[in-house]
Amino acid sequence: AQSVSQHNHHVILSEAASLELGCNYSYGGTVNLFWYVQYPGQHLQLLLKYFSGDPLVKGIKGFEAEFIKSKFSFNLRKPSVQWSDTAEYFCAVNAKGSQGNLIFGKGTKLSVKP
Amino acid sequence: DTEVTQTPKHLVMGMTNKKSLKCEQHMGHRAMYWYKQKAKKPPELMFVYSYEKLSINESVPSRFSPECPNSSLLNLHLHALQPEDSALYLCASNPGQGRGPDTQYFGPGTRLTVL
């Protein structure tokens, strides 16, 4: 069965600090990988996704993620966070050729201090 | 238009009530999903409809009854719910197998409170 692990439950950073959120997945086949963000009181928004090709993908709002196949990882990064990045971040996977349903990690809450 | 809409935004119901949640998309997507999200938890899949047919039911209790009347609409009928069913109910859509990028677009959700 597929599973997704996010290592950090709650990350607290000051503005301008660099961010890296870890995500590892477990699945024997080929997957699509996603990061979603949920701002307080708002709905899930897609930050970025990886299907194939260049393992370094860039998303919205200055976020990027790197797919490392050998490590089954898809870590999210941002060089300099802002207070407005305070949100819950979810890593998710689905199996290629499946019904597309997503398996989510437990989420990482990011708090950025101004 | 990459929007999935859900109504109502908030719903409060008693355990004996019958209510319905509605989801709509006009992106031509042929896969639609219901997820349940409890506070401080990730979304959990409930149902998947593919080409208007129920393809996945993740062992959801029968007090939740999904319906897909056409390719744009997805309903979730609720009856005899329990207080522990209180959660944010999210709808999502996806182009469908072989029809485009395998990306789900989420609606804003319906926040359900069962008294």
Side-chain angles (χ1 to χ4, degrees), chain B:
Chain B
D1 179 11
T2 57
E3 191 177 14
V4 177
T5 59
Q6 289 187 244
T7 54
K9 288 184 70 172
H10 300 274
L11 178 62
V12 179
M13 60 186 289
M15 289 190 285
T16 58
N17 292 157
K18 282 186 180 179
K19 296 285 184 184
S20 297
L21 310 185
K22 181 179 171 182
C23 172
E24 196 165 1
Q25 56 86 15
H26 295 287
M27 296 178 276
H29 289 177
R30 303 307 296 274
M32 296 185 76
Y33 309 79
W34 281 114
Y35 289 85
K36 174 182 177 179
Q37 187 179 22
K38 300 281 278 184
K40 302 186 188 305
K41 298 288 186 186
E44 294 179 349
L45 182 70
M46 299 175 74
F47 301 104
V48 179
Y49 271 83
S50 179
Y51 293 83
E52 297 88 69
K53 287 185 170 34
L54 182 65
S55 59
I56 294 179
N57 176 339
E58 290 286 354
S59 303
V60 179
S62 60
R63 56 185 185 268
F64 295 91
S65 175
E67 179 198 17
C68 189
N70 60 55
S71 59
S72 300
L73 278 176
L74 185 66
N75 299 321
L76 186 62
H77 303 298
L78 314 172
H79 174 55
L81 294 195
Q82 304 295 311
E84 58 265 28
D85 296 322
S86 298
L88 181 68
Y89 287 84
L90 295 166
C91 175
S93 73
N94 173 303
Q97 281 183 291
R99 288 174 51 84
D102 195 3
T103 302
Q104 283 190 31
Y105 296 89
F106 283 84
T110 293
R111 189 159 298 282
L112 173 68
T113 303
V114 182
L115 301 175

Side-chain angles (χ1 to χ4, degrees), chain A residues 23-95:
Chain A
C23 172
N24 286 90
Y25 69 93
S26 172
Y27 182 66
T30 309
V31 296
N32 300 315
L33 296 149
F34 306 83
W35 276 98
Y36 283 87
V37 61
Q38 193 169 31
Y39 297 101
Q42 295 192 27
H43 63 285
L44 283 164
Q45 297 174 39
L46 181 67
L47 268 182
L48 47 77
K49 60 191 177 188
Y50 174 80
F51 291 161
S52 64
D54 188 343
L56 184 64
V57 292
K58 294 190 185 300
I60 60 171
K61 308 187 182 194
F63 286 91
E64 64 178 32
E66 184 176 12
F67 171 52
I68 302 179
K69 189 175 181 181
S70 60
K71 295 185 178 180
F72 297 89
S73 70
F74 190 55
N75 292 352
L76 181 71
R77 300 194 290 249
K78 185 172 184 178
S80 176
V81 295
Q82 301 172 310
W83 176 79
S84 57
D85 293 323
T86 295
E88 188 90 22
Y89 291 81
F90 292 99
C91 181
V93 305
N94 64 20

Side-chain angles (χ1 to χ4, degrees), chain A residues 9-31:
Chain A
H9 178 62
H10 189 186
V11 172
I12 303 173
L13 296 173
S14 297
E15 275 194 317
S18 64
L19 170 72
E20 180 158 3
L21 301 182
C23 172
N24 286 90
Y25 69 93
S26 172
Y27 182 66
T30 309
V31 296

